[in-house]
């Protein structure tokens, strides 16, 4: 194992050119960098996002709501290019002061309701439409357990493993080993849970599945970080079964491509109606 010679200073100082894929936009302060209003379409629900795993959680839920017959869940989805710093516009910061996608405005309320953090948005929508959230107290508790498991666990996969395996300016053996180990432990947690359950929280398809699938489902399907072989994901057979089951859902296929401008999947930079999917046969 290589030994680093870096010694942290007594007081950390920001050096903008510190490397990494997002060095041009990352900074240690909050707030807007430029004035720009957010666009607004005709629907009450306005989504501002990018098709990252966190971003597609919400577009998948919205498409599932529409597929279930909730016409008021129709929405406009606007692209937020995080590599170009769109998340630091004055309009976006007004919706999410933390400058992270996804963000949502619900204009059906007075005043309009602003929403940020993916789990918060999903819970709001599930409760608003009374869908994909169990009514039974015990089942509801299990859904909450797994939804917040995702929120607490995934930073080790994304900000930990993904960052050091793909985005860091140099490969650091200790960091990759540390987060690969934790990612595999998490996959094993899911595999054991899914060995005895059709879906994440039991026999009912819920927002917990929609939150976990874009990260761990995409990982075992070979769509995340090009790390399937490195992490031996084929050994997690129950996660694989569940991931393929969710992947086959038409609403998931639609939600997965919303605000997508990268990768081999179809690209739908903006979404304003169901007609937008016809070109992709969805």
């Amino acid at each position: 194992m290589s030994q680093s010679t870096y010694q942290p200073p007594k007081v950390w100082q920001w050096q903008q050119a510190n490397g990494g894929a997002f060095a041009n936009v990352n900074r240690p302060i909050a707030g807007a960098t430029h004035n720009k209003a957010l666009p607004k379409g005709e629907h009450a629900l306005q989504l501002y996002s990018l098709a990252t795993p966190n971003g597609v959680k919400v577009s998948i839920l919205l498409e599932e709501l529409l597929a279930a017959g909730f016409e008021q869940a129709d929405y406009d989805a606007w692209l937020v290019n995080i590599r170009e710093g769109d998340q630091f516009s004055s309009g976006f910061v007004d919706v999410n002061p933390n400058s992270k996608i996804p963000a949502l405005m619900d204009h059906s309320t007075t005043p309009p309701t602003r929403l940020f953090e993916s789990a918060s948005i999903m819970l709001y929508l599930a409760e608003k439409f009374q869908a994909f959230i169990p009514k039974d107290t015990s089942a509801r508790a299990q859904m909450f357990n797994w939804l917040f498991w995702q929120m607490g666990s995934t930073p080790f996969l994304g900000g930990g493993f993904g960052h050091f395996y793909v985005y860091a300016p140099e490969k650091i053996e200790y960091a990759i080993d540390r987060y690969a180990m934790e990612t595999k432990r998490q996959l094993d947690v899911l595999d054991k849970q899914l060995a005895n359950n059709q879906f994440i929280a039991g026999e009912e398809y819920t927002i917990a599945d929609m939150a976990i699938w874009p990260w761990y489902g995409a990982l075992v399907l070979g769509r995340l970080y090009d790390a399937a072989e490195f992490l031996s994901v084929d050994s997690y057979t129950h996660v694989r079964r569940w991931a393929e089951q969710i992947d086959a859902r038409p609403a998931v296929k639609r939600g997965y491509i919303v605000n997508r401008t990268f990768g081999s999947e179809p690209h739908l930079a903006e979404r304003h109606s169901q007609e937008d999917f016809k070109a992709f046969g969805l």
Side-chain angles (χ1 to χ4, degrees), residues 198-213:
Q198 182 180 6
F199 297 107
I200 290 293
E203 298 309 301
E204 185 176 349
Y205 178 57
T206 71
I207 56 173
D209 296 283
M210 300 178 211
I212 293 171
W213 181 85

Side-chain angles (χ1 to χ4, degrees), residues 16-228:
Q16 188 170 11
N18 63 352
F22 294 91
N24 65 316
V25 294
N26 285 341
R27 59 199 184 110
I29 56 175
T33 61
H34 59 284
N35 291 321
K36 185 179 180 181
L38 289 176
K40 181 180 179 298
E42 65 179 38
H43 301 297
L45 299 176
Q46 298 291 303
L47 176 64
Y48 304 96
S49 191
L50 181 69
T52 67
N54 279 335
V56 299
K57 295 178 196 175
V58 175
S59 53
I60 285 173
L61 173 55
L62 287 165
E63 291 299 330
E64 289 282 15
L65 288 167
L66 288 167
F70 296 97
E71 295 180 2
Q72 291 183 330
D74 213 351
Y75 66 104
D76 294 281
W78 303 93
L79 181 67
V80 177
N81 190 331
I82 60 175
R83 285 185 179 269
E84 298 299 322
D86 291 351
Q87 69 273 35
F88 298 112
S89 72
S90 57
F92 191 89
V93 171
D94 284 345
V95 181
N96 184 359
N98 195 39
S99 294
K100 302 291 184 182
I101 60 96
L104 182 79
M105 287 294 293
D106 182 359
H107 293 274
S108 71
T109 65
T110 304
T113 301
R114 74 172 187 174
L115 295 147
F116 58 92
E117 291 298 328
S118 56
S120 177
I121 299 172
M122 296 180 83
L123 281 170
Y124 175 86
L125 292 171
E127 291 180 341
K128 180 182 179 73
F129 294 102
Q130 289 296 292
F132 303 113
I133 185 168
K135 293 180 174 59
D136 175 78
T137 301
S138 178
R140 184 182 178 90
Q142 296 311 307
M143 184 280 297
F144 273 96
N145 285 341
W146 287 102
L147 178 65
F148 289 108
W149 176 89
Q150 185 273 310
M151 297 297 288
S153 297
T154 301
F156 292 96
L157 168 56
F161 174 75
H163 176 77
F164 287 105
Y165 188 70
V166 178
Y167 298 117
E170 59 181 301
K171 303 298 183 188
I172 302 172
E173 182 180 2
Y174 170 79
I176 292 173
D177 283 350
R178 169 69 180 88
Y179 290 113
M181 177 177 66
E182 175 60 14
T183 298
K184 288 180 69 65
R185 189 194 69 81
Q186 292 174 3
L187 285 168
D188 198 40
V189 169
L190 290 175
D191 205 55
K192 287 178 167 60
Q193 173 68 6
L194 288 164
N196 300 307
N197 296 278
Q198 182 180 6
F199 297 107
I200 290 293
E203 298 309 301
E204 185 176 349
Y205 178 57
T206 71
I207 56 173
D209 296 283
M210 300 178 211
I212 293 171
W213 181 85
W215 284 102
Y216 300 89
L219 184 63
V220 300
L221 293 173
R223 301 175 188 169
L224 193 64
Y225 304 134
D226 196 23

